[in-house]
Amino acid sequence: MSLSTELFIALRYLKARKKGFFSVLTTFIAVGGTTLGVAALVITLAIMSGFQNDIRDKILGIQPHISITRIDGEAFKDYEKVESRVKENKFVTGYSPFIYRQGIIRSLATSASTGIIIKAVDFKSEDKMVGLSRQISESDTRFNGERIGEKGILLGSELAKTLGVTAGDEVVVMFPSSFGSMPKMYKFTVMAIMHSGMYEFDSSLGFMDLDEAQNIFGMEGEVSGVSVQTKNFDKAVDVAQQLQSEISFPYRVKAWIELNKNLFAALKLEKIMMFLILGLIILVAAFNIISNLLLLSVQKSKEIGIMSAMGFSKISIAKIFFFEGLVVGLLGTALGIIFGTGISLILKHFEIFKLPQGIYYVDRLPVALLPGDVVMVAVCAFVITVLAGIYPAYQVSKLDPLEAIRYG
C-alpha cells in the first residue's frame, strides 16, 4: 500500500470530522494547544535571549573584554611590562591602564550626596575599546572628546539624576585616606553625562583622567589594572587563559563573562526552566492528540474492519491514524511558529512594554529571535507529536476486523 493512499485517507478523515461538533472541538483543542505551547516557547526564548544579548552589549559598552589585576589588590608598579606582553598576543586589539577608587560624591548645587565608583582611564584609549563617546548624552562645551580634562569628571545618567546635576555643574568627591585621617576632598566639574542603559553602571560609575587620578592618589607610574580588548568577545575566555599562562603570578586575568558569571548563569538557568515549564503545554496538547485519535478509532471501527477485509494491512491502517495525528501536530507547530515569530517581531520593533531599570537592568523589553531557538522548539514539538501518534496507531492495528464490522 502506497504512502500517498494512507495520507489521503487520513486527510479525508480529518476533513470529514467537521460534521461532528465534539470531534471538531477535540481537534481544535489539540491544534490550539500545540499552537499555544509552541508560540509561548518561541516568544519566551526570544525575550530571554534578548535579555542576555542586551545585558551583554551594555556590559561590554563599559567593561573591556579582559581585565588584568594583581591577586593581592595592590597597584601595578611595572604595568608597562604587562602591556608589552599583552600586545604580543595576536588576538588583542587594544589595551588601556586604569585605576579604580571608591568615594562619596556631593553636589554643590543641591547638597545631595551618594556613593561613587571612580574609574580613571586614558579616555581616548578607552573610547577606542568600548566606545564611551557613543554613550554620552550630554556634555559641557569644554569637553573635547579626547581627554576628560583637569578636575573633570564624567557621571552616569542615574547618578547625575540622584545628585540633581547636569553637564557644567560642580561636585565634590571625597576619598578615604589613611586610618584616623580626614577624607580627602576634591572639586570636579561635570564634563559630560553618560547613559549606558545599564542601571548598575549609570547609578554608581564615574570616569576621570588617568593622569589626574595618579596625581590625586599619589600613584605616579602606578595603576590598578590593565583593560584588554580582543577581536571577538566570544574568544575572550580563551585569550584570558593564554595571557594568564604568559603573565602568571602575581597577576589575575579575568574575562568579562567570568566577572559577570552569576548574572549570566542565572539568565541561562531561567531560560532552561522557562523552556521546560512551557514545554508542558505542548505535552498536554500531545495528550489531546492521543485522546483525539482514540476517539476517532472508535468512531471509525466499522470502516477499519472493512479496510482490513479489503486487504489493508495492519501497518497501513496504523499509518492512517499516525498520519492524522502527525498532520494535527504539524499544523499546530506551524501555526505556533508563525504566531510566535510574528509576536516576537512586533515586540522587537515596537517598544510596547517599558521596564523599571532598577529591577531588570534594562529600560525596555529586549527581543532576540534566534534561528537556533526557533528550530529547537519546532523539533521538540515535532518529536512530541510523533510520539503522540504512535500509541493510538498501535491500538488501531490490534482491532479484529470481524468484530470491528460486527460491532462497529
Side-chain angles (χ1 to χ4, degrees), residues 10 293 317-327 385-390 392-393:
L293 294 178
I317 295 173
K319 284 182 178 179
I320 293 172
F321 287 82
F322 175 77
F323 285 148
E324 180 158 353
L326 195 61
V327 169
T385 299
V386 169
L387 295 177
I390 292 176

Side-chain angles (χ1 to χ4, degrees), residues 229-269:
Q229 201 75 354
T230 62
K231 292 181 180 179
N232 192 326
F233 67 86
D234 286 336
K235 301 295 183 181
V237 174
D238 295 334
V239 177
Q241 291 174 351
Q242 293 176 15
L243 293 176
Q244 183 69 76
S245 63
E246 295 171 2
I247 298 174
S248 67
F249 186 84
Y251 302 105
R252 178 190 290 118
V253 184
K254 290 288 186 182
W256 66 276
I257 189 69
E258 296 173 304
L259 295 173
N260 301 276
K261 185 184 299 183
N262 292 338
L263 173 60
F264 284 96
L267 289 174
K268 184 177 180 180
L269 179 61

Side-chain angles (χ1 to χ4, degrees), residues 9 114 134 173 196 206 213 228 252 262 290 330 381:
I9 295 174
T114 186
R134 294 195 301 268
V173 182
S196 69
V228 179
R252 178 190 290 118
N262 292 338
I290 293 173
L330 287 177

Side-chain angles (χ1 to χ4, degrees), residues 31-32 34-36 38-39 328-342:
V31 174
T34 306
T35 300
L36 178 63
V38 171
V328 171
L330 287 177
L331 180 61
T333 300
L335 291 175
I337 293 295
I338 293 171
F339 285 131
T341 302

Side-chain angles (χ1 to χ4, degrees), residues 12 43 60 67 71 113 116 119 279 294 301 400:
R12 286 297 299 268
I43 295 169
L60 294 179
S67 292
I71 294 175
S113 61
I116 186 173
K119 185 177 183 181
L294 291 175
S301 58
D400 181 75

Side-chain angles (χ1 to χ4, degrees), residues 96-385:
S96 176
F98 65 86
I99 293 176
Y100 265 133
R101 279 293 186 274
Q102 291 183 328
I104 297 175
I105 185 170
R106 182 171 65 87
S107 168
L108 292 180
T110 64
S111 297
S113 61
T114 186
I116 186 173
I117 299 174
I118 292 289
K119 185 177 183 181
V121 296
D122 181 300
F123 184 82
K124 192 173 182 179
S125 299
E126 197 78 6
D127 186 32
K128 286 181 180 179
M129 291 200 305
V130 298
L132 290 180
S133 58
R134 294 195 301 268
Q135 301 175 41
I136 292 178
S137 59
E138 178 187 349
S139 62
D140 188 74
T141 54
R142 290 167 288 182
F143 180 63
N144 59 15
E146 296 287 329
R147 294 182 71 254
I148 299 175
E150 185 178 355
K151 294 297 185 289
I153 191 171
L154 307 184
L155 297 181
S157 57
E158 295 297 325
L159 181 58
K161 189 183 298 183
T162 300
L163 296 173
V165 299
T166 59
D169 291 346
E170 292 186 328
V171 295
V172 172
V173 182
M174 293 173 281
F175 298 103
S177 55
S178 58
F179 182 75
S181 302
M182 291 291 292
K184 297 179 180 179
M185 294 184 290
Y186 301 91
K187 184 185 293 185
F188 292 91
T189 300
V190 179
M191 303 302 291
I193 306 296
M194 300 178 59
H195 180 73
S196 69
M198 190 80 170
Y199 183 82
E200 186 177 358
F201 293 150
D202 292 337
S203 62
S204 61
L205 193 59
F207 288 87
M208 60 185 295
D209 276 328
L210 181 65
D211 53 0
E212 181 84 4
Q214 287 175 328
N215 291 332
I216 290 175
F217 303 128
M219 297 176 62
E220 292 296 330
E222 297 179 353
V223 295
S224 300
V226 175
S227 300
V228 179
Q229 201 75 354
T230 62
K231 292 181 180 179
N232 192 326
F233 67 86
D234 286 336
K235 301 295 183 181
V237 174
D238 295 334
V239 177
Q241 291 174 351
Q242 293 176 15
L243 293 176
Q244 183 69 76
S245 63
E246 295 171 2
I247 298 174
S248 67
F249 186 84
Y251 302 105
R252 178 190 290 118
V253 184
K254 290 288 186 182
W256 66 276
I257 189 69
E258 296 173 304
L259 295 173
N260 301 276
K261 185 184 299 183
N262 292 338
L263 173 60
F264 284 96
L267 289 174
K268 184 177 180 180
L269 179 61
E270 188 173 356
K271 185 176 180 179
I272 293 173
M273 292 305 299
M274 292 301 293
F275 180 85
L276 295 176
I277 292 171
L278 293 176
L280 293 176
I281 300 177
I282 301 177
L283 193 60
V284 171
F287 282 105
N288 287 330
I289 294 174
I290 293 173
S291 61
N292 202 296
L293 294 178
L294 291 175
L295 175 63
L296 178 63
S297 68
V298 173
Q299 293 175 339
K300 301 294 183 180
S301 58
K302 187 172 183 178
E303 295 181 21
I304 293 170
I306 293 173
M307 283 189 291
S308 296
M310 292 175 62
F312 278 74
S313 66
K314 291 184 177 182
I315 295 178
S316 295
I317 295 173
K319 284 182 178 179
I320 293 172
F321 287 82
F322 175 77
F323 285 148
E324 180 158 353
L326 195 61
V327 169
V328 171
L330 287 177
L331 180 61
T333 300
L335 291 175
I337 293 295
I338 293 171
F339 285 131
T341 302
I343 295 174
S344 297
L345 291 175
I346 291 173
L347 293 175
K348 180 178 181 180
H349 295 290
F350 300 96
E351 296 184 5
I352 300 175
F353 300 104
K354 293 288 185 180
L355 301 177
Q357 275 191 317
I359 299 175
Y360 295 103
Y361 291 92
V362 295
D363 57 359
R364 60 182 179 80
L365 188 66
V367 177
L369 193 63
L370 303 181
D373 288 345
V374 177
V375 171
M376 179 177 64
V377 172
V379 169
C380 289
F382 174 76
V383 171
I384 292 175
T385 299

